[in-house]
Amino acid sequence: MHEHRFVFGGLPSRVVFGAGSLQDLGQEVESLGATRALVLATPNQEALAQDVSLRLGSRSVGVYAQAIMHVPIDSVTRALEEVRRCGADCLLAAGGGSTIGLAKAIALESGLPIVAIPTTYAGSEMTSIYGITEAARKRTGKDARVLPRTVIYDVNLTLSLPVSVSVTSAMNAVAHAAEGLYAQHSNPVISMMAEQGIEAIARAIPALYRDPLDVGARSFAQYGAWLCGTVLGNVGMALHHKLCHVLGGSFNLPHAEVHSVVLPHALAFNSNAAPSSMEQIADSLGVSYAPAGMFDLATRHGAPSGLKDIGMRESDLDLAADLVVSQPYWNPRPVGVGQRDEIRTLLQHAFNGVRPEAMAEGFAPGRGGSA
């Protein structure tokens, strides 16, 4: 690696990993100097939030179980009122991306420290990226204040995650690692984490699909999610994340499912422009052609294969293509107004749910390209 120049700025977070690590919660909150923690959750995770609150005893000021997907601005306003009312000095986010997203939005405004207790594989807990939806537009940004100070990964909390959600959530995580390998600011440390993350999740998905209570499989999935989230937090993303942002934000499609469906097609689009990254991904998956390998990993384990299966209308594909190319951003293969037709083709393939075979499993390297 000596001929490479790179910058590595690891984000300052503390990770407590392992089955039963929720028992360390009290001392983790104490070490932040907090005495009035507010526990956040979605309505359907209220029981977990109550358990967390109980474990904290006098250090908890209660539970606020009103987190909503995509973090609407009015839900943030209501949560901030509750924070002020109870005089909280720390936020405990117990749950998935929606809950951690709410904690981040509160922290952005209040500067309060966050302790995250993730129960899905979204990876948001490892990043300083936030998103808030206002007037049907999701605005995202980066701010050091929203990075959770401590993350507690307790595999026992993931055992009840339904298989279908587990698979798409894990595919969402894999997408961060895959794009991290060909990101503009990639570096060898992050690439190593990306490869490990993809490998761990590729191993976990088939095993937890067979037995959702397999603690070993769940541990691999959680370990992979942590690595993939760290990749997302440290380097920029590319076409795949742009596509998912447009599809999720403008057409209100479910977040993890969109990632699961789009990833193979985004990889196929970029495969000729980032050949060494594709090899790394393929090696981590144990396949010869990364886009097809990703498609199989998802669809053989119950994930939807096409945008048509998750609520997208074919009549909206033209608009989606226009939105994707309307704002230029970095990608290993150029994506701008000039590539509008190729993006439209990619979206059609993703809509239909066709298995990408652009390079005939690697036997015809000259062909392919656009998906």
Side-chain angles (χ1 to χ4, degrees), residues 75-224:
S75 74
V76 179
T77 307
R78 287 195 300 272
L80 277 163
E81 284 166 10
E82 178 64 14
V83 165
R84 292 190 190 106
R85 190 192 65 74
C86 65
D89 63 1
C90 172
L91 303 165
L92 243 74
S98 302
T99 302
I100 292 167
L102 176 62
K104 286 178 164 185
I106 297 169
L108 187 67
E109 197 65 39
S110 66
L112 293 182
I114 300 170
V115 175
I117 306 168
T119 58
T120 69
Y121 308 127
S124 164
E125 66 279 356
M126 295 311 299
T127 82
S128 55
I129 303 163
Y130 65 87
I132 298 168
T133 303
E134 190 169 7
R137 295 304 295 268
K138 192 165 191 173
R139 79 184 157 87
T140 59
K142 268 189 163 183
D143 194 298
R145 285 173 299 181
V146 310
L147 178 73
R149 296 272 285 280
T150 304
V151 181
I152 296 177
Y153 286 108
D154 187 336
V155 69
N156 297 337
L157 301 180
T158 66
L159 296 176
S160 59
L161 195 65
V163 171
S164 60
V165 181
S166 301
V167 172
T168 54
S169 184
M171 291 302 299
N172 180 9
V174 161
H176 310 325
E179 287 226 303
L181 284 168
Y182 54 69
Q184 190 173 12
H185 302 298
S186 66
N187 65 67
V189 181
I190 288 300
S191 295
M192 192 168 60
M193 295 180 101
E195 288 179 69
Q196 274 252 303
I198 295 169
E199 203 174 305
I201 285 177
R203 188 169 160 180
I205 286 178
L208 67 80
Y209 182 71
R210 282 193 301 272
D211 177 10
L213 298 178
D214 179 339
V215 175
R218 292 284 185 182
S219 277
F220 268 111
Q222 201 168 40
Y223 176 64

Side-chain angles (χ1 to χ4, degrees), residues 48-364:
L48 168 63
Q50 294 291 357
D51 175 46
V52 166
S53 177
L54 208 60
R55 284 171 185 266
L56 281 178
S58 63
R59 286 184 182 273
S60 169
V61 291
V63 166
Y64 185 76
Q66 305 293 323
I68 306 169
M69 191 168 82
H70 299 311
V71 197
I73 186 75
D74 52 342
S75 74
V76 179
T77 307
R78 287 195 300 272
L80 277 163
E81 284 166 10
E82 178 64 14
V83 165
R84 292 190 190 106
R85 190 192 65 74
C86 65
D89 63 1
C90 172
L91 303 165
L92 243 74
S98 302
T99 302
I100 292 167
L102 176 62
K104 286 178 164 185
I106 297 169
L108 187 67
E109 197 65 39
S110 66
L112 293 182
I114 300 170
V115 175
I117 306 168
T119 58
T120 69
Y121 308 127
S124 164
E125 66 279 356
M126 295 311 299
T127 82
S128 55
I129 303 163
Y130 65 87
I132 298 168
T133 303
E134 190 169 7
R137 295 304 295 268
K138 192 165 191 173
R139 79 184 157 87
T140 59
K142 268 189 163 183
D143 194 298
R145 285 173 299 181
V146 310
L147 178 73
R149 296 272 285 280
T150 304
V151 181
I152 296 177
Y153 286 108
D154 187 336
V155 69
N156 297 337
L157 301 180
T158 66
L159 296 176
S160 59
L161 195 65
V163 171
S164 60
V165 181
S166 301
V167 172
T168 54
S169 184
M171 291 302 299
N172 180 9
V174 161
H176 310 325
E179 287 226 303
L181 284 168
Y182 54 69
Q184 190 173 12
H185 302 298
S186 66
N187 65 67
V189 181
I190 288 300
S191 295
M192 192 168 60
M193 295 180 101
E195 288 179 69
Q196 274 252 303
I198 295 169
E199 203 174 305
I201 285 177
R203 188 169 160 180
I205 286 178
L208 67 80
Y209 182 71
R210 282 193 301 272
D211 177 10
L213 298 178
D214 179 339
V215 175
R218 292 284 185 182
S219 277
F220 268 111
Q222 201 168 40
Y223 176 64
W226 165 37
L227 293 174
C228 295
T230 304
V231 173
L232 174 66
N234 279 277
V235 295
M237 294 286 123
L239 173 64
H240 168 78
H241 283 73
K242 174 72 174 181
L243 288 164
C244 293
H245 193 79
V246 167
L247 292 167
S250 302
F251 305 101
N252 201 32
L253 302 185
H255 183 84
E257 286 87 341
V258 167
H259 277 274
S260 199
V261 168
V262 169
L263 182 59
H265 305 285
L267 293 180
F269 183 89
N270 281 330
S271 62
N272 287 355
S276 63
S277 299
M278 292 305 147
E279 270 177 43
Q280 288 171 291
I281 296 167
D283 286 350
S284 297
L285 292 173
V287 299
S288 57
Y289 181 52
M294 281 296 181
F295 183 86
D296 294 343
L297 182 62
T299 58
R300 286 178 183 167
H301 301 105
S305 59
L307 294 173
K308 62 179 172 20
D309 306 317
I310 61 171
M312 186 73 182
R313 292 197 306 252
E314 193 160 14
S315 56
D316 283 334
L317 293 178
D318 282 330
L319 172 59
D322 293 341
L323 290 170
V324 169
V325 300
S326 65
Q327 294 164 314
Y329 53 94
W330 191 86
N331 188 60
R333 177 180 170 188
V335 176
V337 179
Q339 287 76 35
R340 193 256 177 213
D341 290 349
E342 291 138 279
I343 292 294
R344 178 64 181 78
T345 302
L346 182 165
L347 286 166
Q348 187 68 51
H349 289 171
F351 181 82
N352 295 338
V354 293
R355 183 176 188 266
E357 308 204 34
M359 292 166 71
E361 292 294 3
F363 297 123

Side-chain angles (χ1 to χ4, degrees), residues 24-35 37 56 59 90 115:
D24 301 333
L25 181 62
Q27 67 201 57
E28 292 300 330
V29 169
E30 192 176 337
S31 71
L32 290 176
T35 56
L56 281 178
R59 286 184 182 273
C90 172
V115 175

